[in-house]
Amino acid sequence: RIYKRFDKLIYIVVLVLLMSVAVIGTADGGAKRWIDLGFINFQPSEVAKIGLIIFYASLLTKNKKRMDEMWGGFFYPLMYLLPVIAILVGVQNHLSATLLITMIVGIMMLMAGSRLRYFLTFGTAGAATGLGALFAYAKITKKGMFRITRLITFLDPFADIQNTGWQVVQSLYAIGSGGLFGVGLGNSTQKYAY
């Protein structure tokens, strides 16, 4: 009940934090997603995850009688997610956080009573359109090609073991030698540049 009174303020704070990365954000590892306060660095997208959970819990509770409707239970709640997605993808180039936040909100909407058929029809069409637009944007502008490379690498990580496939191949080696429960503390062969 306490959080519910501040739901709109929390949403506004989330948007301001996400947008502030464009102005006062610092780059780390080639991505501008961090804010440096001097004594701590933090990613606003991490704050956004918690803030949006609180905001959507309030929104979906207030809207519970309309959750089985197409507009009230699907499109209306997603309208609040679109600015967040636009900022995360456009300003921060942070697709992983975008997908995670979208999944969290989608699960919350389903649990609140939104119809699965809306997700299967409109959600699938929207996701396909969004991914197609990202792919076209990456091809045309050459920005975001790393995403396409990641997908291709995931399909065949051994094609480029020393570069793009390194992490996937190392994880396969680790799982292959240790199985589900590992080889035991201190018995790893990966540490010897296996």
Side-chain angles (χ1 to χ4, degrees), residues 1-10 54 58 62:
R1 287 191 301 271
I2 293 169
Y3 292 142
K4 194 174 180 180
R5 289 192 308 219
F6 301 105
D7 62 346
K8 290 178 182 63
L9 178 63
I10 290 170
I54 294 168
S58 174
K62 290 175 186 174

Side-chain angles (χ1 to χ4, degrees), residues 61-93:
T61 302
K62 290 175 186 174
N63 203 35
K64 65 183 172 187
K65 291 181 180 168
R66 299 180 58 207
M67 287 307 295
D68 61 342
E69 300 172 11
M70 186 187 312
W71 170 253
F74 185 76
F75 289 110
Y76 174 71
L78 287 180
M79 283 178 22
Y80 290 98
L81 189 59
L82 291 177
V84 174
I85 291 172
I87 293 168
L88 281 171
V89 173
V91 175
Q92 297 185 21
N93 201 11

Side-chain angles (χ1 to χ4, degrees), residues 78-148:
L78 287 180
M79 283 178 22
Y80 290 98
L81 189 59
L82 291 177
V84 174
I85 291 172
I87 293 168
L88 281 171
V89 173
V91 175
Q92 297 185 21
N93 201 11
H94 202 351
L95 188 61
S96 59
T98 305
L99 294 174
L100 184 60
I101 287 171
T102 303
M103 285 192 304
I104 290 169
V105 169
I107 290 168
M108 289 180 74
M109 288 171 60
L110 284 169
M111 297 306 291
S114 186
R115 301 283 184 192
L116 182 61
R117 69 174 178 257
Y118 301 145
F119 283 89
L120 294 176
T121 53
F122 301 114
T124 304
T129 303
L131 288 174
L134 281 173
F135 183 80
Y137 176 75
K139 280 291 201 183
I140 292 168
T141 63
K142 303 297 182 204
K143 292 180 182 177
M145 285 299 290
F146 66 93
R147 290 190 190 105
I148 296 169

Side-chain angles (χ1 to χ4, degrees), residues 24-26 34-42:
I24 60 170
T26 58
W34 298 82
I35 292 179
D36 185 2
L37 298 177
F39 59 94
I40 190 170
N41 284 347
F42 76 98

